[in-house]
Amino acid sequence: MDRFMRWLGIAVVVFIAAPLVIVVPMSFSNARSLQFPPPGYSFGYYQAYFTDMSWLVPTWNSILIATATTVLTMLLVVPATFALVRHKFRGKGIADLMMLMPLAVPHIVMAVGYYSYFGNVGIVHTHLGVILAHTCLSVPIAFLVLSANLKGFDRTLERAALSLGASPTKTFIHVTLPILRPGLIISALFAFVQSFDETVVAIFISGRGAETLPRKMFDSIRQEADPVIAVISTLLFLAVIVGVTAPLLVARIRSRRTPATA
């Protein structure tokens, strides 16, 4: 049974990783379109990406919008999570439902609604409009992650700090915040990824001045299947690998230094 589960796990990993095995070689291809296996290899499309402003501008827009979305999401989610998890008030069930509503509604429906509403206030095709729309989509994800961490929080630690004379502000900064830091970081990362990867709403809300990278990739593959898409996919894949492995490497280095210091 253990051997079967092991091989089953390997098969699932191979199935998930198979598209990456195809995309990475295609990013080094010298073909004029997406082709696998590549007829030859070169760095031409990497050079095309890093020298073409039509790709670099959407990339910068996506980074800027995702960063702003993350900040705004956390400013909204942190106090809302504390209020909904730790306090009881009338309408709490409705508030919980409204926080999670964007997860249940299809993005195409949300996009049409944003387009209509933002058009009335004049922020369609602007960075602000995209940031607000992405924030609405990121809030429920960040809320779920942070609320799960907060529900498992041992409040006796806060009571102990308060009983020793610490103010509520100092208790939050020196006791609550360090314990919740992993949940806050994960919530922020999920908000960033949700915004950076969002396509449907961006197609409706963003314009030429606020074009995001996913929208640019969608327009490109719909018109000509530019192989630069494979370059971007490879770079994003590498960024994910670095983001996942970096904390593990840091933790491993710290664990090695601790016994040596002791």
Side-chain angles (χ1 to χ4, degrees):
M1 185 65 180
D2 291 340
R3 181 177 298 178
F4 171 76
M5 296 302 296
R6 187 182 301 112
W7 282 107
L8 179 62
I10 294 174
V12 171
V13 171
V14 171
F15 178 78
I16 295 175
L20 302 176
V21 177
I22 296 175
V23 169
V24 174
M26 285 195 301
S27 68
F28 296 97
S29 174
N30 59 3
R32 293 187 175 182
S33 61
L34 294 173
Q35 182 179 344
F36 185 85
Y41 296 93
S42 72
F43 289 92
Y45 290 112
Y46 282 87
Q47 182 180 0
Y49 170 70
F50 286 108
T51 58
D52 190 349
M53 295 305 296
S54 66
W55 284 105
L56 294 179
V57 171
T59 302
W60 170 249
N61 284 338
S62 287
I63 295 174
L64 177 64
I65 290 171
T67 303
T69 297
T70 302
V71 174
L72 183 57
T73 298
M74 297 308 294
L75 289 176
L76 295 174
V77 165
V78 171
T81 303
F82 273 84
L84 291 172
V85 172
R86 291 192 169 182
H87 301 281
K88 295 182 180 180
F89 52 90
R90 183 176 300 177
K92 179 180 177 180
I94 297 177
D96 273 321
L97 179 62
M98 295 302 295
M99 290 288 291
L100 301 178
M101 184 64 70
L103 289 178
V105 179
H107 282 197
I108 186 66
V109 177
M110 302 284 289
V112 173
Y114 293 144
Y115 182 81
S116 177
Y117 179 75
F118 289 168
N120 293 331
V121 297
I123 57 175
V124 171
H125 300 166
T126 64
H127 287 79
L128 177 60
V130 180
I131 291 170
L132 292 178
H134 284 188
T135 299
C136 294
L137 298 176
S138 300
V139 161
I141 300 175
F143 171 73
L144 285 175
V145 174
L146 189 57
S147 61
N149 281 266
L150 192 58
K151 288 177 181 178
F153 184 87
D154 186 3
R155 298 199 65 182
T156 57
L157 299 174
E158 292 179 331
R159 297 189 184 98
L162 293 172
S163 65
L164 293 174
S167 65
T169 302
K170 289 185 177 181
T171 300
F172 178 80
I173 295 175
H174 297 288
V175 178
T176 308
L177 191 59
I179 296 176
L180 294 179
R181 186 180 296 132
L184 292 170
I185 294 175
I186 295 174
S187 298
L189 287 176
F190 271 108
F192 185 91
V193 171
Q194 167 68 28
S195 175
F196 193 91
D197 191 52
E198 212 291 318
T199 306
V200 177
V201 173
I203 292 174
F204 280 79
I205 304 300
S206 66
R208 288 297 177 185
E211 185 180 27
T212 62
L213 186 59
R215 173 175 175 168
K216 172 65 177 176
M217 295 174 68
F218 175 81
D219 292 339
S220 178
I221 199 170
R222 184 181 60 178
Q223 296 172 3
E224 57 181 345
D226 192 341
V228 175
I229 296 174
V231 173
I232 300 171
S233 301
T234 302
L235 294 176
L236 292 177
F237 174 59
L238 292 177
V240 170
I241 291 179
V242 172
V244 171
T245 58
L248 298 177
L249 292 175
V250 172
R252 189 170 184 178
I253 292 173
R254 288 180 176 177
S255 64
R256 287 184 176 182
R257 288 181 177 179
T258 302
T261 304

